[in-house]
Amino acid sequence: MPRDVDDRDIDAIEMDRIRRILSELEDSDFELLDPPPEVWQRIGASVTAESDSVVRTSGLPKEPPFRDTPARSVVEYWIDADDVVTDVGQDWANFARDNDAPELAVAAPDRTLWSYIDRDEIRELWQLLVQRVRALQVGARVPFRCDAAHARRWFEMTITPEPGGRVHFRSVLAFEEPRPPMALLDAHSERDADAEPVPLCSWCGRGQRGSDWLDIEELVQSARLLERVSMPPISY
């Protein structure tokens, strides 16, 4: 009679299944999901030389309610053949401090990229992506959300293979939209360690509530988090 399968066995089986599926994927199996169309309309209105005419024809206000992306919002770093973070761009430290992670302002020597990622599933996914970039010697493009407590932000990352097994990661802030501060995303918010963590998607920035994935504002309202003294933990 087979022994009972515990949670650790289930996790291992699930991770093996994910690895097997991902190893069989081709480029044609992926679909790029862009931000909502109105986001690109606003971006176009802000960067086009004829922005005034664009705004008038689109019906948008003359001064869109978002700030332009600063030229310095580029975060880049390199890993060697052993996946150790060896070099970082000049804006690495600024980005870390601006996002309440001053302890990451200086990259620790001999620390691998994977040690910065807490969740096993996310770590496995990024490792497979890096393995693919190295094996095929072809770069990858990964659009993703990286919201701050006070803003919605869309980034685009490029992952580029370099000689000797090095890999270059470069993330550019494509769009930023201010919003009222969200305590759930504030690193300084008091957390209830006994509460069930709120799962957030590392790519789209939405949070899971039941079977639904909601924008943070919707999730906060639906879960009535504003009525709580302390916020639940976040799980990416």
Side-chain angles (χ1 to χ4, degrees):
M1 182 174 183
R3 65 181 178 85
D4 293 337
V5 179
D6 62 21
D7 290 342
R8 287 173 298 179
D9 294 321
I10 295 174
D11 289 343
I13 293 171
E14 183 66 14
M15 287 308 305
D16 286 341
R17 186 180 71 86
I18 292 173
R19 279 193 290 267
R20 186 173 64 256
I21 292 173
L22 290 174
S23 67
E24 297 172 354
L25 292 177
E26 302 292 341
D27 291 341
S28 59
D29 296 319
F30 291 88
E31 179 183 1
L32 174 63
L33 299 179
D34 287 322
E38 61 269 17
V39 168
W40 297 122
Q41 291 175 355
R42 292 177 178 176
I43 294 175
S46 69
V47 301
T48 304
E50 300 177 356
S51 58
D52 285 344
S53 63
V54 172
V55 169
R56 284 195 296 271
T57 57
S58 65
L60 293 172
K62 187 171 183 179
E63 296 184 359
F66 65 89
R67 68 178 180 83
D68 292 336
T69 299
R72 61 185 290 276
S73 297
V74 176
V75 179
E76 52 187 340
Y77 49 94
W78 289 258
I79 61 175
D80 63 14
D82 296 319
D83 298 335
V84 173
V85 179
T86 57
D87 302 284
V88 298
Q90 61 181 0
D91 288 332
W92 169 286
N94 292 330
F95 190 81
R97 295 189 186 98
D98 291 345
N99 289 274
D100 300 317
E103 71 280 4
L104 300 180
V106 178
D110 301 326
R111 183 172 179 181
T112 68
L113 176 62
W114 318 124
S115 67
Y116 291 92
I117 303 175
D118 292 332
R119 296 278 300 194
D120 292 340
E121 298 90 341
I122 300 299
R123 189 185 308 113
E124 290 272 355
L125 188 57
W126 280 105
Q127 287 174 331
L128 288 168
L129 182 56
V130 169
Q131 289 171 11
R132 183 181 179 86
V133 167
R134 282 187 175 130
L136 300 180
Q137 285 296 290
V138 175
R141 172 176 169 265
V142 184
F144 65 96
R145 284 279 293 272
C146 182
D147 287 0
H150 62 280
R152 305 179 188 92
R153 299 186 302 203
W154 282 264
F155 279 81
E156 180 171 291
M157 174 186 285
T158 53
I159 307 173
T160 308
E162 294 189 351
R166 279 169 55 93
V167 178
H168 177 206
F169 297 79
R170 186 174 189 267
S171 297
V172 179
L173 179 58
F175 179 74
E176 183 174 47
E177 183 179 47
R179 66 174 170 201
M182 306 298 297
L184 179 63
L185 300 180
D186 191 338
H188 300 293
S189 292
E190 181 182 349
R191 302 286 170 174
D192 182 356
D194 296 326
E196 186 74 18
V198 175
L200 295 187
C201 177
S202 297
W203 262 271
C204 73
R206 292 180 175 178
Q208 185 178 27
R209 177 162 170 75
S211 60
D212 297 322
W213 288 89
L214 308 173
D215 288 332
I216 295 299
E217 292 85 350
E218 294 179 282
L219 186 145
V220 168
Q221 182 178 11
S222 175
R224 305 180 71 162
L225 296 183
L226 294 179
E227 299 176 15
R228 301 181 58 152
V229 176
S230 57
M231 291 290 104
I234 291 175
S235 173
Y236 285 96

